[in-house]
Amino acid sequence: IKKGGTSYPLQGGFVGLSYYESLLSPHLSATLTFIDTGFGVQQGTLRSSLPISGKEPVEITITHPSGILDFDSYYFLVDTVDVAGQDGNKEIINLRLISQYEDKNKTVKVEGAYDNNIRNSLSNILTSKLGVPTNRLSLENTENSLSFKGTNRTPFEIGLYLAPRSRPANNGAPGFVFYETQSGLNFKAL
């Protein structure tokens, strides 16, 4: 976990990582559980000494004999902190992690009217409102255009709104899914 430009390793108290990626969700999330004994800080627990309050970046690297899973280039942010148990000066901490784009999505509202190819409208919203670089977007071409207004919806709400109204450019069956993976945001035909 990083705070104030300093990294604090968690592997000494690592308990588990639950990582969630779904076609039914526009954002990914994870829960990181560790035993906080104050390793890496001078006094108290890591949670109380830093303090961990939310928005801290968390970079995850899992090393296993079968290979390395590295989330370093796509960091998570702490969304919530939950103390699952306490024993003296040790705490079991659950950090609910969200992607940086989900964090931005919570506060950004889409205004204005759009009248363009659906894929192009969505691409414009994701890059201009959330700051998603184009190399983090995998948006399949759509055959149809749609006129719609932002009406104070979030970019992810717009993506979910556009998904069932989209037809693939290759004349496939209508309907798309909008979801996030480790490699970025996706808009794909069913």
Side-chain angles (χ1 to χ4, degrees):
I1 191 165
K2 289 185 175 183
K3 180 113 182 194
T6 304
S7 292
Y8 299 91
L10 302 178
Q11 69 264 24
F14 177 77
V15 174
L17 174 71
S18 299
Y19 173 77
Y20 304 98
E21 210 176 85
S22 173
L23 292 175
L24 304 176
S25 175
H27 62 89
L28 54 84
S29 63
T31 301
L32 175 64
T33 304
F34 66 98
I35 299 172
D36 188 355
T37 60
F39 46 88
V41 294
Q42 296 302 319
Q43 75 187 102
T45 62
L46 186 65
R47 182 180 64 89
S48 64
S49 297
L50 292 182
I52 299 174
S53 56
K55 306 286 189 210
E56 292 86 3
V58 176
E59 295 179 353
I60 300 171
T61 303
I62 299 173
T63 305
H64 185 269
S66 64
I68 295 174
L69 179 59
D70 189 0
F71 293 92
D72 194 32
S73 63
Y74 187 74
Y75 68 86
F76 288 97
L77 297 176
V78 174
D79 188 39
T80 59
V81 180
D82 176 42
V83 179
Q86 195 166 9
D87 181 22
N89 65 343
K90 297 177 187 176
E91 296 177 329
I92 298 174
I93 304 293
N94 289 321
L95 298 180
R96 183 177 182 281
L97 309 175
I98 57 173
S99 72
Q100 59 182 320
Y101 302 124
E102 168 59 9
D103 183 59
K104 288 180 188 175
N105 183 68
K106 289 179 174 185
T107 58
V108 171
K109 301 297 181 193
V110 178
E111 295 292 333
Y114 294 83
D115 186 21
N116 199 346
N117 176 279
I118 291 176
R119 181 225 181 263
N120 296 342
S121 293
L122 182 60
S123 177
N124 179 17
I125 290 168
L126 295 174
T127 56
S128 66
K129 299 294 185 184
L130 294 182
V132 182
T134 55
N135 67 347
R136 305 277 302 160
L137 293 176
S138 180
L139 310 178
E140 192 173 316
N141 288 328
T142 56
E143 174 184 84
N144 57 321
S145 296
L146 183 69
S147 295
F148 65 94
K149 293 184 179 179
T151 60
N152 280 327
R153 291 177 285 187
T154 68
F156 285 3
E157 287 172 330
I158 297 288
L160 292 172
Y161 168 78
L162 295 174
R165 292 163 175 79
S166 300
R167 289 189 314 269
N170 63 3
N171 294 324
F176 274 56
V177 288
F178 177 61
Y179 60 100
E180 184 178 21
T181 64
Q182 180 189 2
S183 59
L185 295 168
N186 301 274
F187 190 67
K188 303 287 183 181
L190 293 171

